[in-house]
Amino acid sequence: MSDATAIAVNPYSAPNSELQQSVGNTDVIADPRLAIERGYDFSIGELLSEAWQKTSGVKGILWGGFAAIAVVSAAIQLVIQLVGVGIIGVSALGGGASMVFGIIAVALLSVFLSVVVIYPFLAGSNMIGIRQAAGQPVEFSEMFKHFGRTLPLFGLGLLILILSSIGYLLLFIPGLYISVASILAIPLVVERKLSAWNALLVSCKAINKHWFKVFFLLLSMSLILFVSALPLGIGLIWTLPMFIVMIGVLYNRIFGVLPPAA
């Protein structure tokens, strides 16, 4: 028997590098960073097809969530208008500089309230798509389960807003990169309980492996949304939930999904 054969069949020999690099399914579920080491791939057409198939049965729940977001957004705008009129009115008494300060204060208040209140709802809709993609039970109450993560979601929202705004000012491309690479950061905050910064880093590292493919996936989905909106927006009844489920399918393909908390 040759030395090479003896090593191949020797049960006491050290594992080869391929085995050392393999990642068990349990580890992938426990730590999303291990999923990045494992790597992933997908076909755009196949992923869109899977998203379309898995949209069945979840449209009503998602549209109920969209309605909740719309109602909350309208309430926020009403509050901002009422408070804003008072702030600007008082600041106007102090002259032009004070009025400018008042307008800036109202704008900051609008951003703050929108991020603090809307992001937990966005996280809920993301999680509905993720659970649907993973074949887990989906409930409308998922929309309201993530207000306990408001602080890291607020931090994430500000991070994405600041970095993408700076990026778009710097010849547009860096902003586009952040917009695409951060697409999985929100579910990482709520599903894996990562901090805002770590969620953004993990999302970017994961998407970096196939950034252009993810970009064209999002571009394809955007075209589908645009075409479906042409006949009086009727097609959006199907395609907007499909977009949410598509993000869930991509997330599940890369990281896997933890079982729902009891």
Side-chain angles (χ1 to χ4, degrees):
M1 179 182 296
S2 66
D3 292 341
T5 305
I7 293 175
V9 299
N10 182 1
Y12 303 103
S13 62
N16 59 34
S17 60
E18 181 179 355
L19 290 177
Q20 289 173 336
Q21 294 173 358
S22 66
V23 180
N25 191 47
T26 301
D27 293 330
V28 170
I29 291 176
D31 188 345
R33 291 168 296 185
L34 294 178
I36 299 174
E37 295 176 8
R38 178 193 62 181
Y40 69 95
D41 200 359
F42 65 91
S43 160
I44 292 176
E46 177 265 336
L47 197 144
L48 288 173
S49 176
E50 182 178 349
W52 173 253
Q53 293 171 8
K54 291 186 175 180
T55 301
S56 177
V58 79
K59 291 188 292 294
I61 294 175
L62 283 173
W63 275 108
F66 298 154
I69 292 175
V71 170
V72 171
S73 297
I76 290 174
Q77 291 306 314
L78 178 60
V79 169
I80 291 171
Q81 288 178 14
L82 293 175
V83 175
V85 168
I87 292 176
I88 295 174
V90 171
S91 61
L93 299 176
S98 296
M99 187 170 182
V100 170
F101 176 79
I103 293 172
I104 293 174
V106 171
L108 292 176
L109 176 64
S110 175
V111 171
F112 175 79
L113 288 178
S114 296
V115 172
V116 166
V117 178
I118 298 302
Y119 260 61
F121 281 105
L122 293 178
S125 64
N126 271 186
M127 286 308 303
I128 289 172
I130 286 170
R131 299 212 183 282
Q132 179 74 358
Q136 296 179 355
V138 177
E139 300 175 351
F140 179 67
S141 60
E142 187 77 48
M143 290 291 302
F144 309 94
K145 288 183 177 180
H146 306 292
F147 281 89
R149 301 291 292 165
T150 296
L151 185 59
L153 286 170
F154 174 70
L156 177 64
L158 286 184
L159 271 174
I160 294 175
L161 176 63
I162 293 170
L163 292 176
S164 61
S165 297
I166 293 173
Y168 282 119
L169 290 174
L170 298 175
L171 302 178
F172 186 81
I173 293 177
L176 179 62
Y177 163 78
I178 289 294
S179 297
V180 173
S182 63
I183 195 169
L184 301 180
I186 290 178
L188 284 169
V189 166
V190 296
E191 202 261 339
R192 300 304 172 92
K193 304 296 186 290
L194 298 185
S195 67
W197 181 248
N198 284 334
L200 185 59
L201 286 180
V202 170
S203 179
C204 288
K205 287 180 180 179
I207 299 301
N208 279 349
K209 288 186 174 293
H210 295 288
W211 188 93
F212 283 100
K213 188 175 284 189
V214 174
F215 169 74
F216 284 111
L217 172 68
L218 294 174
L219 181 61
S220 299
M221 189 69 238
S222 298
L223 291 174
I224 291 172
L225 288 168
F226 174 76
V227 172
S228 68
L230 293 178
L232 302 178
I234 295 174
L236 292 175
I237 295 174
W238 294 270
T239 57
L240 201 53
M242 177 186 170
F243 171 72
I244 300 298
V245 175
M246 183 204 75
I247 299 299
V249 172
L250 180 63
Y251 183 94
N252 186 40
R253 187 71 56 90
I254 299 174
F255 299 115
V257 184
L258 293 170

